[in-house]
């Protein structure tokens, strides 16, 4: 009988030990299975946990305890959230963001309408018509740097006037 088979023959003892840590249900079985995997890996590396033709219970106890504590630490890091709350929260955030964007777009339209016609026209051609400054310069015959500075100034005014949270 191999060492791993000897360990597996005491399966009920290992489950009892893990339950004594406060573990319940299928989680106990999972911890013991993890212990088997860990012991198997260590046995392949040359570990000897035999003790007078039996298994070293203390070593198994320490292995099971460390795996259980690792599991507890991992579960402590995970925040469990009720799915209904999460869906409701996501819907509220989506509605709130939509209203914010809608309000900001109205502000932007109002601000552009108040600007000098030339500045507004250059900004709309570049942003709405997706025309590059170089292309606009070629078509209109206006200096590239003049258009660039106008566009940059309009963007600066918009950033200054419309505050995003």
């Amino acid at each position: 009988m191999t060492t791993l088979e000897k360990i597996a023959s005491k399966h009920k003892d290992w489950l009892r030990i893990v339950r004594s840590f406060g573990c319940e249900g299928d989680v106990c079985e999972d911890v013991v299975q993890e212990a088997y995997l860990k012991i198997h890996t260590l046995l392949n590396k040359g570990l000897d946990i035999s003790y007078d033709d039996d298994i070293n219970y203390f070593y198994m106890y320490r292995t099971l305890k460390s795996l259980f504590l690792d599991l507890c630490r991992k579960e402590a890091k995970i925040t469990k959230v009720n799915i209904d709350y999460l869906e409701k929260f996501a819907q509220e955030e989506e509605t709130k963001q939509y209203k914010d964007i809608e309000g900001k777009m109205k502000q932007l339209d109002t601000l552009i309408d108040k600007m000098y016609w030339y500045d507004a026209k250059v900004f709309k051609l570049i942003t709405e018509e997706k025309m590059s400054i170089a292309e606009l310069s070629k078509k209109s015959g206006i200096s590239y740097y003049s258009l660039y500075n106008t566009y940059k100034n309009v963007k600066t005014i918009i950033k200054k006037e419309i505050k995003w949270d």
Side-chain angles (χ1 to χ4, degrees):
M1 185 181 272
T2 65
T3 307
L4 197 57
E5 289 171 339
K6 287 180 186 177
I7 293 171
S9 69
K10 311 264 187 202
H11 185 74
K12 289 183 181 178
D13 292 341
W14 310 140
L15 286 174
R16 185 181 42 77
I17 289 171
V18 174
R19 282 191 198 100
S20 74
F21 302 148
C23 188
E24 296 175 355
D26 291 337
V27 179
C28 293
E29 189 72 38
D30 292 343
V31 171
V32 173
Q33 294 298 327
E34 285 290 324
Y36 291 154
L37 292 171
K38 187 172 186 175
I39 295 293
H40 176 67
T41 304
L42 293 173
L43 287 172
N44 287 339
K45 291 182 180 179
L47 175 73
D48 182 26
I49 63 167
S50 58
Y51 183 75
D52 290 339
D53 217 22
D54 199 11
I55 302 299
N56 186 338
Y57 269 75
F58 181 72
Y59 190 84
M60 273 304 289
Y61 174 86
R62 296 297 291 171
T63 302
L64 292 167
K65 183 76 171 182
S66 91
L67 289 171
F68 174 73
L69 292 175
D70 286 346
L71 180 69
C72 290
R73 282 187 213 105
K74 286 177 187 173
E75 285 184 356
K77 291 180 184 177
I78 299 171
T79 305
K80 295 179 182 173
V81 179
N82 185 344
I83 192 74
D84 296 332
Y85 171 78
L86 189 61
E87 287 174 354
K88 181 182 173 190
F89 178 76
Q91 289 173 350
E92 288 174 0
E93 283 298 310
E94 193 174 295
T95 305
K96 182 180 171 186
Q97 287 177 350
Y98 179 74
K99 287 180 181 177
D100 287 349
I101 291 172
E102 194 175 274
K104 298 298 181 185
M105 291 305 292
K106 286 180 182 176
Q107 271 185 295
L108 178 63
D109 289 340
T110 305
L111 187 61
I112 289 174
D113 289 341
K114 290 180 183 177
M115 288 184 183
Y116 183 66
W117 71 269
Y118 174 79
D119 296 343
K121 187 69 173 177
V122 168
F123 183 77
K124 284 182 180 180
L125 284 172
I126 293 171
T127 55
E128 292 175 8
E129 303 293 325
K130 305 278 191 238
M131 192 178 289
S132 71
I133 296 174
E135 185 181 351
L136 183 60
S137 175
K138 283 181 185 176
K139 285 185 178 180
S140 66
I142 301 170
S143 158
Y144 174 89
Y145 294 106
S146 174
L147 292 171
Y148 173 78
N149 285 328
T150 301
Y151 180 67
K152 186 176 92 173
N153 291 338
V154 170
K155 280 183 20 182
T156 304
I157 291 168
I158 291 170
K159 286 178 185 177
K160 186 174 149 187
E161 294 294 322
I162 300 176
K163 303 281 190 251
W164 290 91
D165 298 332

